[in-house]
Amino acid sequence: MKSGILKTILLRFFSSLLTLFLLISFLFVLIRLSPGNPTDKYISAKLGSELSDKIFEKFSLNQPIADQYFAFVTNVFKGDLGISYNYRQPVFEIIWEYFSFTLVFAITSIILQIGMSIWLSVWVIKWRSKLLDNFISNSAILVYSIPAFVLGVALIYIFSVEWNLFPISGLHSLDFENFSFFGKVIDTLHHLFLPLITLTAAGVAMFYKYTKDSMDEVLSQTFITNLVSSGLESNSILKKHVIPNSLRPIISVAGVELGILLGGTLITEVIFSLPGMGRLTIDSILSRDYPLVIGCVFTAGAVMIIANFLADIFKLKLDKRLLKGILN
């Protein structure tokens, strides 16, 4: 069995590596198809043929297309994503600076999404009320269907403009540096309260539907009926058998959801002016900073691939019956 697991992990690893390679190739094609060239950024009265040649040489545009492709792939795998036009810094350094916030923001959100959805599903199952179940299921569909920008703007209008309870935007207050350690923590949480609701609400609704349906399926199986007949307490059945057997679809969705969140919580970060990957991506597109755009897209794709790979490995650890499915 161990050799089978190792074979599965290696297959998934090389499959992820191939997907990453295809993503990099796709980015190279997009760059070559995009209008203009790097000299467009330096258009001025001083731009002559000599400077133009230097810029072409700097970006290896005077090389054959095959050499350009090889150099591009090699540099990306080495972590060299070029120099940002606007920041005048390596793209990797800029992305890491913004990605660190998105990493914490996204992981906090995914923990809240999964935790709240499981708690809500267990609570509904314990009540065993059809009316309550229908109400929460319909509410979940309603919340999921609300676009993030609508929810974010509505929260800002109600809680910031009308009631003045939370800041409209930003991560810290102006006098943040004068606060004590706990004061800084509270101030940051105060600023992140509305963004977290905006980012988490749809996820809770989605995970709730998956979790509840999975729990209903497990509860309808014969072994649960046998456990109930044997006199085992309902709480014990729920904790030891129903919840663990209901996690498989949640982990599958969590891998995709975490990849999306890490790739850039775009809308939420733009609405609340937060310093993350989503805002960086929008700014780089609007300013036509092509190296940074490529870096942001590559990072978003790479984290999606890695998140799915880790989710598959975790599922494999949780349920070895998936071995055959992943191999196929």
Side-chain angles (χ1 to χ4, degrees):
M1 180 60 75
K2 286 185 178 178
S3 61
I5 294 174
L6 182 62
K7 182 182 176 183
T8 306
I9 293 174
L10 287 175
L11 280 173
R12 286 292 293 117
F13 174 76
F14 286 114
S15 170
S16 300
L17 209 59
L18 176 63
T19 309
L20 193 62
F21 175 75
L22 293 175
L23 172 67
I24 295 170
S25 302
F26 180 65
L27 283 175
F28 178 81
V29 174
L30 277 184
I31 296 167
R32 292 300 172 268
L33 290 178
S34 61
N37 61 62
T39 59
D40 294 345
K41 190 71 181 177
Y42 304 95
I43 287 178
S44 70
K46 296 180 180 179
L47 180 62
S49 60
E50 188 178 344
L51 179 56
S52 178
D53 292 341
K54 284 184 179 178
I55 294 170
F56 266 71
E57 186 180 354
K58 175 69 177 175
F59 287 90
S60 302
L61 295 177
N62 55 349
Q63 301 293 324
I65 194 74
D67 292 347
Q68 291 181 40
Y69 174 70
F70 180 76
F72 181 77
V73 174
T74 305
N75 287 336
V76 171
F77 272 106
K78 286 193 298 187
D80 181 5
L81 297 171
I83 304 294
S84 165
Y85 294 158
N86 297 328
Y87 291 85
R88 308 292 185 192
Q89 293 177 22
V91 168
F92 184 79
E93 291 181 6
I94 300 166
I95 286 179
W96 176 247
E97 183 183 339
Y98 282 81
F99 184 74
S100 55
F101 168 78
T102 300
L103 181 67
V104 176
F105 192 39
I107 289 178
T108 304
S109 176
I110 198 85
I111 291 173
L112 288 173
Q113 290 177 23
I114 295 175
M116 290 177 70
S117 63
I118 292 177
W119 176 81
L120 202 57
S121 302
V122 170
W123 184 65
V124 170
I125 283 178
K126 279 185 175 179
W127 273 84
R128 296 182 187 280
S129 166
K130 191 70 177 174
L131 184 63
L132 182 66
D133 187 7
N134 289 336
F135 174 74
I136 293 181
S137 294
N138 291 328
S139 300
I141 294 171
L142 178 66
V143 170
Y144 186 74
S145 63
I146 299 175
F149 69 90
V150 174
L151 180 61
V153 172
L155 289 175
I156 288 174
Y157 179 75
I158 296 170
F159 292 99
S160 299
V161 178
E162 291 294 323
W163 294 350
N164 198 25
L165 293 176
F166 295 98
I168 291 177
S169 62
L171 188 57
H172 304 304
S173 299
L174 293 176
D175 51 349
F176 179 76
E177 294 302 326
N178 299 326
F179 293 162
S180 64
F181 173 76
F182 290 106
K184 290 180 178 178
V185 171
I186 291 172
D187 182 64
T188 304
L189 292 176
H190 189 216
H191 279 74
L192 286 178
F193 187 78
L194 295 184
L196 271 176
I197 292 178
T198 305
L199 188 65
T200 305
V204 172
M206 177 185 68
F207 278 114
Y208 170 76
K209 287 296 293 177
Y210 278 104
T211 309
K212 180 65 174 47
D213 290 347
S214 184
M215 282 186 177
D216 285 339
E217 185 181 341
V218 174
L219 282 169
S220 66
Q221 293 183 13
T222 310
F223 80 96
I224 295 293
T225 308
N226 292 336
L227 289 173
V228 174
S229 304
S230 64
L232 201 63
E233 290 184 2
S234 57
N235 280 338
S236 179
I237 294 173
L238 206 59
K239 289 178 182 176
K240 293 181 179 178
H241 301 281
V242 177
I243 294 176
N245 284 292
S246 306
L247 292 179
R248 192 175 66 180
I250 301 173
I251 295 169
S252 300
V253 180
V256 178
E257 177 71 4
L258 184 60
I260 294 171
L261 292 175
L262 286 175
T265 51
L266 195 145
I267 295 173
T268 305
E269 288 177 356
V270 171
I271 291 174
F272 291 95
S273 296
L274 298 174
M277 282 294 296
R279 185 178 165 194
L280 180 66
T281 304
I282 293 294
D283 289 345
S284 62
I285 292 172
L286 293 177
S287 62
R288 298 188 177 183
D289 191 342
Y290 290 128
L292 198 51
V293 173
I294 293 165
C296 291
V297 175
F298 170 75
T299 304
V303 294
M304 175 73 81
I305 292 167
I306 293 170
N308 276 285
F309 173 73
L310 294 177
D312 280 344
I313 300 302
F314 190 66
K315 277 191 300 182
L316 195 63
K317 181 72 177 175
L318 193 71
D319 189 349
K320 293 183 175 58
R321 288 172 299 179
L322 294 171
L323 186 69
K324 187 176 178 180
I326 293 177
L327 274 171
N328 294 329

